[in-house]
Amino acid sequence: MALKDLILKYAPIVGQNIGISLYNTYLYKQRHRGHYKAYGDYYRHYENASPQEVAQEAQNRLNEFLLATTESSPWYREHRGKSLHEFPILEKAQLLAHMDSIRTIEEKDGIVSLTGGTTGASMKVIYAHKDMQERFALKDHFRARYGYRLGKKVAWFSGKSLVRPKDLERGNVFRDDYINKIRFFSTFHISQQNFDAYWRAFCDFKPEYIVGFPSSVYDLCTMALERKLKYDGAVTTFFPTAETVLPQYRSVISEVFGCQVVDQYAASEGAPFILECPHGSLHIHPLTGVFEVVDENLQPANEGEILVTPFTTHGTPLVRYRIGDRIKLAPESFRCACGSSFPVVEYIDGRTSDFIWSPENGKVNLGNISNCTKDVNGIICFQVVQNEADAVHVSVVANERFTLEEQHHFIDAMALRLGTTVTVHLDLVDEIPREPSGKFRLVKNRLTPELMQVATVQGS
Ligand SMILES: [Zn+2]
């Protein structure tokens, strides 16, 4: 067991907090060393550069990245000299299976980042230090536009498991980094039962910023609304991470905490960045990598799956990597009021597997599924699981206002979207467990592509 885990398991809470404070400070130092400052200046400069200058620099970075990749990665060696669209597409399964020939550095020479894969297989990506410093420089530069800097009070809701059962009994649901003024909340225990402990800890702390899983912050907010609680502090901005930000997350969170919600996209495998500007547009940052949007036949499109070529993955180079997310580009004529020439994305649709399959209607996406709760009273949260093409199981955590009548409303709304051939089974539950990563999944689709095929044939 690593020292960090030993401390988490056995040390008293104050001792743990001190440990966390020191460890975090060490991490920040590591990220802020070397090229960090230079990259901060770099991104500030290109924020206001002309579109021509940005395009030129993006091309330079792509050339440099492909050259470095084909020189140091055995997997990519044979593609030396090719232009981007001549490279093969990299599938997730290939990345998992051929990691050792794709990567260019040893674990000990870089920073290891673990991500949860869709199949539960976790993926290990090694970052070069310089790339990590660049990613943090850009992230900090982005958040600084909203007044954030290290040392401001932040409530953090991430997937770290940091609370033990005996802590829960005592109502302790967080850990503190005293040095950097961060309160880390456990995202695994937000429930009706633990709500008071969370609310008290949040109100006492009075953070200026919130960072983390939007579904967790949303859960906390819904429970506060149910109890007609008013938050008397003032949160400036919430920076959601890791999950798709659904419209109701935005409205409920800003209602309860009075904050703006500013979204970003940057998957942990090392995707290029999409960042929300103060005018509410999601801008692709062209100096962080290339986004190719493709349709089902992998041909260029305005809406569809993305292939990413991030410039900050020298340690584990990803070229035309099929990351599993979808976006829709705004029309080229669209000009954002913020003045930036960076391309705008109309929406980002998290994981491509986040849909329910309907033999009648095809893929029913996350946004549509989540809309089923509109005008339905009493639902606190829910999850749809599909194991067969003609049925779904919906687990609902609800309060007493979710009467039989409301249940029918909800099932009708679901049936409207899924069509008449899909049976909806409703289960009322006390709690819906999160994924091992701490993320909440609204939709779990366990159908194989073959099953969907069969379903289409039978349904048509
Ligand atoms: Zn803008």
Side-chain angles (χ1 to χ4, degrees):
M1 200 180 282
L3 179 63
K4 195 179 74 184
D5 300 321
L6 274 174
I7 291 176
L8 279 179
K9 196 151 183 209
Y10 299 110
I13 288 173
V14 173
Q16 290 194 9
N17 287 343
I18 292 170
I20 286 171
S21 308
L22 294 173
Y23 182 65
N24 257 336
T25 305
Y26 160 76
L27 279 185
Y28 287 129
K29 286 226 171 95
Q30 190 181 43
R31 290 165 188 165
H32 294 180
R33 265 202 312 246
H35 304 270
Y36 174 85
K37 202 190 157 291
Y39 276 119
D41 296 339
Y42 174 86
Y43 281 109
R44 263 186 299 281
H45 170 77
Y46 281 103
E47 198 79 55
N48 303 310
S50 72
Q52 293 76 10
E53 199 188 337
V54 173
Q56 183 56 54
E57 175 62 9
Q59 189 59 49
N60 292 345
R61 295 222 44 185
L62 176 62
N63 296 345
E64 181 279 328
F65 179 69
L66 294 182
L67 185 66
T69 297
T70 49
E71 268 173 5
S72 346
S73 162
W75 177 264
Y76 283 114
R77 196 158 292 155
E78 57 174 299
H79 301 293
R80 193 172 296 179
K82 286 183 180 171
S83 63
L84 180 64
H85 69 270
E86 295 170 314
F87 275 72
I89 288 166
L90 178 67
E91 301 282 348
K92 236 172 213 192
Q94 289 175 308
L95 176 58
L96 270 169
H98 303 286
M99 183 51 104
D100 284 338
S101 66
I102 293 174
R103 68 187 168 86
T104 64
I105 53 175
E106 298 293 327
E107 265 181 45
K108 63 171 173 44
D109 299 323
I111 299 165
V112 176
S113 162
L114 294 170
T115 71
T118 36
T119 51
S122 114
M123 196 177 303
K124 206 182 206 179
V125 170
I126 310 165
Y127 281 100
H129 285 283
K130 187 181 177 196
D131 287 339
M132 204 51 136
Q133 287 154 359
E134 174 171 358
R135 291 180 75 82
F136 278 98
L138 175 57
K139 227 177 252 187
D140 288 348
H141 164 66
F142 157 65
R143 288 177 181 161
R145 290 184 83 180
Y146 301 89
Y148 171 81
R149 60 185 157 70
L150 191 62
K152 295 249 180 175
K153 269 189 179 181
V154 184
W156 210 287
F157 293 81
S158 77
K160 287 194 188 68
S161 87
L162 28 81
V163 170
R164 302 162 294 188
K166 65 174 180 192
D167 299 326
L168 270 187
E169 284 162 28
R170 295 178 198 142
N172 194 306
V173 292
F174 63 89
R175 289 292 180 273
D176 277 327
D177 169 347
Y178 301 129
I179 300 174
N180 304 295
K181 297 192 188 150
I182 303 170
R183 182 160 284 188
F184 293 95
F185 285 92
S186 161
T187 49
F188 294 93
H189 305 100
I190 302 174
S191 63
Q192 296 291 355
Q193 207 179 335
N194 299 325
F195 172 83
D196 289 339
Y198 275 93
W199 189 252
R200 208 177 318 121
F202 193 96
C203 293
D204 286 350
F205 184 59
K206 292 207 171 30
E208 261 188 83
Y209 294 88
I210 309 174
V211 177
F213 296 164
S215 66
S216 302
V217 181
Y218 171 77
D219 285 354
L220 192 66
C221 288
T222 348
M223 292 180 205
L225 280 181
E226 258 175 57
R227 291 163 171 77
K228 304 200 166 44
L229 290 170
K230 275 233 152 11
Y231 179 60
D232 62 2
V235 176
T236 312
T237 307
F238 169 37
F239 298 110
T241 60
E243 300 170 323
T244 306
V245 180
L246 300 172
Q248 72 265 36
Y249 290 178
R250 246 175 221 278
S251 58
V252 169
I253 293 168
S254 46
E255 181 187 342
V256 172
F257 291 133
C259 57
Q260 57 183 335
V261 178
V262 179
D263 201 6
Q264 61 166 52
Y265 171 85
S268 40
E269 289 106 309
F273 286 74
I274 299 175
L275 303 167
E276 187 170 330
C277 76
H279 288 263
S281 298
L282 294 161
H283 290 272
I284 288 180
H285 203 307
L287 301 184
T288 62
V290 178
F291 284 89
E292 295 174 74
V293 187
V294 295
D295 63 15
E296 267 122 66
N297 305 313
L298 300 176
Q299 295 308 306
N302 280 327
E303 181 178 7
E305 246 189 275
I306 48 176
L307 309 176
V308 297
T309 306
F311 302 152
T312 48
T313 54
H314 290 86
T316 309
L318 305 177
V319 180
R320 311 190 79 199
Y321 174 53
R322 196 171 181 183
I323 197 162
D325 295 326
R326 301 169 60 85
I327 63 178
K328 181 178 183 190
L329 296 169
E332 250 177 76
S333 57
F334 178 81
R335 286 282 159 268
C336 180
C338 76
S340 168
S341 62
F342 296 178
V344 171
V345 167
E346 226 158 78
Y347 65 78
I348 306 166
D349 205 356
R351 320 145 56 111
T352 34
S353 58
D354 276 353
F355 62 84
I356 292 295
W357 177 257
S358 155
E360 278 169 63
N361 304 332
K363 289 180 181 175
V364 183
N365 70 21
L366 203 66
N368 274 329
I369 297 287
S370 71
N371 274 343
C372 290
T373 56
K374 269 193 179 168
D375 307 319
V376 178
N377 286 316
I379 294 183
I380 293 161
C381 71
F382 75 102
Q383 182 177 61
V384 189
V385 179
Q386 184 172 34
N387 296 316
E388 311 125 278
D390 56 358
V392 293
H393 287 265
V394 187
S395 305
V396 179
V397 179
N399 60 26
E400 69 289 341
R401 289 193 299 148
F402 194 51
T403 56
L404 267 181
E405 197 183 335
E406 296 296 328
Q407 293 178 25
H408 283 136
H409 274 320
F410 181 56
I411 293 175
D412 288 347
M414 196 67 80
L416 189 72
R417 288 160 177 85
L418 300 183
T420 48
T421 51
V422 179
T423 314
V424 179
H425 299 281
L426 187 72
D427 304 306
L428 293 174
V429 297
D430 292 332
E431 180 178 22
I432 299 170
R434 288 175 166 268
E435 301 303 299
S437 63
K439 288 189 199 180
F440 180 79
R441 299 212 25 217
L442 184 68
V443 158
K444 282 186 161 187
N445 183 333
R446 299 206 181 106
L447 287 185
T448 59
E450 294 74 38
L451 262 175
M452 282 184 240
Q453 208 56 47
V454 173
T456 319
V457 174
Q458 284 173 347
S460 57

